[in-house]
Amino acid sequence: EDEDPARAKTLYWRGKEFGWRSLMENKCFKKRFDAKPANPDWYDLAQCFTKKQEAQYLVWTAAAWGGWLKLSMQEEDASFEIFFDAVPVREFMDRARVLDENYYYGMPLLFFGILYTQMPPMAGGGRDKAEETFQKAFRVSDGRFLLAKVMYARFLLVAIKDREAFTKTLKEVIEAPDDLLPEARLANAIAKRKATFFLSRMNELF
């Protein structure tokens, strides 16, 4: 994503397609979507998922779709229509948060922590709410899921212009043991790489 956005965008879309196929395995979801494919009610569709174990399908579909959307919005020729993709991304992740906010080390919480940094308090967001949500995400893994700290630094600490905390947090990520969370070794390795990348571009972010 940081080094080859075009390839990342393609991979995100492929991930979204895999996720979509998993969602369509839900009979309620498929029936409701097929009834209104041109103008789906995304909130209503998300309610088709009622089991804790179904949070995983919503999380990874939304994560991939959201990654594609973020990169698409950065393109000069981005059309206004792509902003409509933000609706299902948020509805799916919100439903996942209801079903299991702790799934994959608090991924739904992490998503909303990022989102709240970009929303004013009057719209339900704000930096205080973002801080509270990020801290809740940290507690899920006792701070061992390093990607959460990287996103906290990149979005909230940049938003509040806390350069010192930004540097300190990302250096802690880079210096963390490789086996800090063995079952998330790959995610933590990616987090370390991103931390290095963001530190190298600190002057652009502040």
Side-chain angles (χ1 to χ4, degrees):
E1 180 176 338
D2 300 320
E3 298 166 0
D4 190 348
R7 183 167 185 267
K9 184 180 172 183
T10 298
L11 293 174
Y12 274 135
W13 188 256
R14 286 177 60 191
K16 179 261 181 181
E17 289 297 301
F18 281 120
W20 185 260
R21 282 157 56 181
S22 72
L23 299 184
M24 290 293 276
E25 291 293 318
N26 182 298
K27 292 180 180 179
C28 166
F29 183 90
K30 187 177 188 308
K31 181 179 180 180
R32 291 184 185 181
F33 180 79
D34 288 345
K36 293 177 62 178
N39 187 29
D41 182 335
W42 294 110
Y43 173 82
D44 186 57
L45 286 167
Q47 304 314 301
C48 286
F49 299 90
T50 59
K51 301 175 182 178
K52 182 177 181 179
Q53 60 266 32
E54 291 178 318
Q56 60 184 319
Y57 308 124
L58 294 163
V59 164
W60 295 118
T61 304
W65 202 341
W68 173 87
L69 176 61
K70 185 182 75 170
L71 293 177
S72 297
M73 290 169 61
Q74 294 172 358
E75 296 177 345
E76 293 183 2
D77 59 348
S79 64
F80 177 77
E81 285 76 12
I82 67 169
F83 288 92
F84 290 107
D85 288 64
V87 177
V89 170
R90 178 168 181 172
E91 292 294 353
F92 290 170
M93 200 66 85
D94 193 40
R95 187 58 184 166
R97 179 170 58 169
V98 171
L99 295 175
D100 185 8
E101 66 178 15
N102 295 335
Y103 174 71
Y104 199 71
Y105 314 107
M107 185 67 80
L109 293 168
L110 182 57
F111 172 87
F112 280 97
I114 295 170
L115 182 64
Y116 291 149
T117 66
Q118 303 167 346
M119 295 170 56
M122 66 181 67
R127 294 168 185 175
D128 289 344
K129 192 167 183 179
E131 176 72 37
E132 179 185 350
T133 306
F134 271 116
Q135 293 300 327
K136 197 172 182 180
F138 296 157
R139 290 193 290 271
V140 175
S141 68
D142 293 325
R144 295 180 298 151
F145 185 61
L146 299 178
L147 197 58
K149 290 186 175 182
V150 172
M151 294 299 103
Y152 173 74
R154 170 61 183 86
F155 291 96
L156 184 56
L157 296 181
V158 169
I160 64 176
K161 302 187 185 307
D162 193 336
R163 189 180 181 118
E164 183 179 349
F166 175 88
T167 303
K168 180 175 181 291
T169 300
L170 293 184
K171 284 186 176 179
E172 287 177 354
V173 169
I174 294 170
E175 295 168 1
D178 292 337
D179 60 350
L180 183 65
L181 187 61
E183 57 270 34
R185 186 181 296 271
L186 177 59
N188 277 355
I190 292 171
K192 287 175 174 250
R193 187 168 179 174
K194 279 187 169 292
T196 301
F197 177 82
F198 291 143
L199 275 176
S200 72
R201 285 159 175 75
M202 186 162 53
N203 290 334
E204 299 171 22
L205 295 171
F206 288 89

